[in-house]
Each structure stands twice: as C-alpha cells, then as structure tokens.
C-alpha cells in the first residue's frame, strides 16, 4: 500500500509518500499561501500531493489514500479555528475538497496528533503505550497516545498541552488566556516578550542576529544563536521556557501515569540535547511518583513527522 501524507504548516506544506514498510519514498515542499481563501490553500495541498507522487516515481493510480495534518480543531473531516492559515478560521470540509480533487479517500487529522502518531509508531516513542508528545515551536502543541491509540477526547480537542495553566493570572498567551505553558514556552510569546523588552529600553542581540541571518522574525535558529552568544535576556527567556515545559510535562505525567514523553518541535530541535536534559531535570521536583518512572526523549523524525503521521493514519480509510 502507498499513502500520501501532508503536513500543513503556517509557513510550508510538506508532503511525503510512504510505502508498506513506513519508508518515505517521495517528498515535496511548497510554500503555504499567506492570503486568499481556503480554496487557494487546498490547491497548493493538491499540487504538493502530485509533486510528492512524481518524486516517488509513482502514478496517482498507485496511491491508496491521502492523509492531511492541519492546524486547528478537526471534526469528521472538517477543520476550523486554525488562526495561521488563510481561510481556515471558519469551519469547512477540508477532507471533501481534497478528496474531490485527488479522487482518493482522504483522512484529515490535527497536525500535532499526526506528529505524535509518527513518533509513536516509527520515532522516539516506539514501544510505549502511554505517551505524550510535546512540540515546542511557534506555539506549543501536544499529542496523546493512550493504551497505544491516539486519544482525541470527546470533541477532538484533547492534547492541548500548551494551554495547560501553570501560573494563574500569569503572562498573556497567544490564545488570549493567561498563564498557559505556551505563554512562556512558545516562540511567538517569547518574541513578543523580547519586543516589549526592547521597546522599554532593554537590550538583546536577538533582533540583530535575526537581521544578520536574513530572517523576518526570530526563528528557533535565531534564538539558539543568541543564546550561544551569551545574551542574558534570551537566556532568561529560555529559563522560563524550560520551567514552563517542565511544569506542564510533570503535571501531565501526574495525571496520566505516562511511560514516556517525546519532546520535539523547532525550538527543542535547535536547542538540542542540553535543552532536553534541562527540561528533564526541572520536571523532577514536580513529579508525584516516587521513584519517577517517566523518560523524556527527543523527537526522532524532525520536520517530516507530521506528514508521516498523516500518511500512517490515512491507511485506516484506504
Ligand atoms: Zn493559551
């Protein structure tokens, strides 16, 4: 069986073709439209699907199903409430639109859930039945595997790791609420904090590094470089990010008695092993279990995880 998996991100749309052995045999990447309506995004998704099939040297006939991982809340093939993709705020039937254009069964899943499935089946979480995957990047997402299966909750909204409240009345989160993990550990929130710091006369090399690297916003790589340069303000931001992730992960472990936690996403990937080790150390005092039974490991699949997970999940509709 051959399946295609799409990972729709705010910046790029990554697409893979998987064979029976879960190997990636085709790959494509296109830019996510920044304006227009959802139909424009759907056209780019479908273009990427054909690119990846070409890259695999296959014909469309050989494809059994397509999986699409998307931001937002997914219910029965529809998606809505995704703030960073044009036209995805108002709920519509993404699955039907893609299926009509590619003439294959399509399964739509939350992008973070797809990433979690991939890490569980063929990445760092292999062999565990109770797993939380945390992806720290622009925002902070989470995906839950409970009893070996994806846990999506009563309304498809489970796993919102980034919006666990770790500090009542704390910093404002991009979601509009206060004190969420993401208010301290998401790159968007960290960037806003740096902008406020500079506006009030504080200093940081963050935005100089950003310009030197030719970026329009501080990427995870920019944060990592600024930290390496010894920037005190960025070091403080990273300290807060680590405490927030550690509190959120320990709280999840206390609630669910997990076997392991996979930590990935752009920020965690760029900051690497020392970052993971610091999160692991910082979560210990919050763990209720004695002795602590949980392992924290780095994600193994990088950028392709979401697309691989979407392809794996599409097998169920093939
Ligand atoms: Zn929030």
């Amino acid at each position: 069986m051959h399946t295609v998996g799409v990972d729709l991100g705010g910046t790029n749309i990554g697409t893979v073709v998987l064979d029976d052995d879960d190997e990636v045999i085709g790959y494509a990447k296109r830019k996510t439209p920044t304006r227009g309506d959802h139909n424009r995004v759907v056209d780019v998704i479908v273009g990427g699907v054909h690119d990846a099939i070409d890259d695999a040297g296959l014909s469309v006939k050989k494809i059994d199903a397509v999986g699409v991982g998307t931001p937002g809340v997914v219910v029965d093939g529809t998606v809505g409430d995704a703030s960073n993709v044009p036209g995805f705020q108002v709920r519509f039937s993404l699955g039907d639109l893609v299926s009509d254009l590619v003439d294959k069964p399509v399964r739509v899943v939350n992008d973070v859930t797809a990433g979690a499935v991939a890490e569980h089946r063929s990445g760092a979480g292999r062999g565990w039945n109770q797993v939380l995957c945390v992806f720290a990047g622009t925002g902070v997402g989470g995906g839950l595997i409970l009893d070996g299966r994806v846990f999506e909750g009563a309304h498809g909204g489970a796993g919102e790791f980034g919006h666990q409240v770790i500090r009542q009345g704390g910093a404002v989160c991009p979601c509009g609420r206060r004190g969420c993990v993401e208010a301290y550990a998401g790159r968007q929130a960290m960037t806003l904090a740096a902008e406020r710091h500079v506006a009030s006369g504080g200093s940081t090399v963050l935005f100089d590094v950003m310009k030197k690297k030719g970026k329009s916003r501080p990427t995870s790589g920019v944060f990592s470089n600024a930290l390496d340069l010894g920037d005190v303000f960025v070091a403080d931001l990273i300290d807060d990010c680590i405490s927030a992730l550690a509190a959120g992960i320990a709280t999840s472990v206390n609630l669910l008695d997990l076997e392991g936690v996979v930590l990935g996403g752009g920020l965690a990937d760029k900051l690497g092993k020392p970052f993971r080790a610091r999160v692991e150390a910082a979560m210990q005092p919050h763990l209720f279990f004695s002795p602590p039974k949980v392992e924290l490991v780095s994600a193994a699949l990088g950028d392709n995880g979401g697309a691989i997970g979407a392809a794996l999940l599409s097998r169920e509709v093939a």
Side-chain angles (χ1 to χ4, degrees):
M1 184 188 291
H2 293 103
T3 54
V4 176
V6 179
D7 183 26
L8 172 60
T11 311
N12 294 303
I13 299 175
T15 309
V16 301
V17 179
L18 277 198
D19 68 8
D20 277 330
D21 302 319
D22 300 353
E23 291 294 325
V24 174
I25 58 166
Y27 178 75
K29 188 167 163 181
R30 290 192 175 202
K31 284 271 171 234
T32 309
T34 51
R35 57 182 77 105
D37 62 4
H38 63 241
N39 288 307
R40 191 150 163 203
V41 178
V42 168
D43 285 341
V44 180
I45 289 173
V46 171
V49 167
H50 288 289
D51 290 351
I53 295 169
D54 287 347
D55 186 52
L58 296 174
S59 66
V60 179
K61 272 205 309 262
K62 297 271 182 199
I63 302 299
D64 297 287
V66 175
V68 181
T70 173
V73 178
V74 174
V75 181
D76 294 334
T78 69
V79 64
D81 303 312
S83 54
N84 58 352
V85 181
F88 276 51
Q89 293 77 29
V90 178
R91 185 159 294 281
F92 72 101
S93 187
L94 176 62
D96 288 344
L97 288 182
V98 175
S99 182
D100 285 349
L101 290 168
V102 299
D103 200 22
K104 300 286 173 193
V106 171
R107 178 159 187 200
V108 180
V109 291
N110 174 269
D111 55 347
V112 182
T113 302
V117 165
E119 288 293 340
H120 173 242
R121 292 212 202 155
S122 54
R126 229 175 339 182
W128 287 334
N129 281 319
Q130 322 291 348
V131 193
L132 167 69
C133 294
V134 175
F135 298 99
T138 312
V140 181
L144 276 172
I145 308 289
L146 298 179
D147 295 335
R149 293 168 55 192
V150 178
F151 181 80
E152 293 176 292
H155 311 95
E160 287 295 348
F161 175 85
H163 304 288
Q164 292 187 95
V165 177
I166 50 155
R167 201 167 295 165
Q168 290 186 59
V172 176
C173 180
C175 77
R177 294 164 189 85
R178 279 184 181 273
C180 303
V181 172
E182 187 173 310
Y184 304 93
R187 214 178 48 221
Q188 189 185 343
M190 290 161 70
T191 300
L192 286 173
E195 284 170 356
R196 281 196 302 271
H197 176 68
V198 170
S200 65
S203 67
T204 169
V205 299
L206 188 72
F207 299 103
D208 302 328
V209 175
M210 175 187 89
K211 281 178 203 139
K212 221 173 269 175
K213 289 179 73 118
K215 303 288 183 187
S216 57
R217 59 195 162 78
T219 58
S220 298
V222 169
F223 272 96
S224 176
N225 283 16
L227 186 66
D228 291 344
L229 288 168
D231 189 88
V232 174
F233 181 74
V234 169
D236 282 349
L237 282 182
I238 300 289
D239 285 352
D240 286 349
C241 165
I242 287 168
S243 320
L245 288 174
I249 291 171
T251 302
S252 307
V253 170
N254 291 345
L255 179 68
L256 297 166
D257 185 12
L258 302 164
E259 286 172 279
V261 179
V262 176
L263 180 60
L267 200 60
D269 288 350
K270 282 286 179 212
L271 295 172
K273 271 189 188 161
F275 179 77
R276 188 209 60 78
R278 288 184 62 199
V279 174
E280 188 169 44
M283 71 191 221
Q284 301 306 320
H286 302 301
L287 288 173
F288 185 74
F289 270 97
S290 182
K293 294 175 181 174
V294 68
E295 268 188 78
L296 181 70
V297 298
S298 295
L301 300 173
D303 273 354
N304 282 343
I308 292 172
L312 289 169
L313 285 166
S314 78
R315 286 180 185 165
E316 292 167 19
V317 297

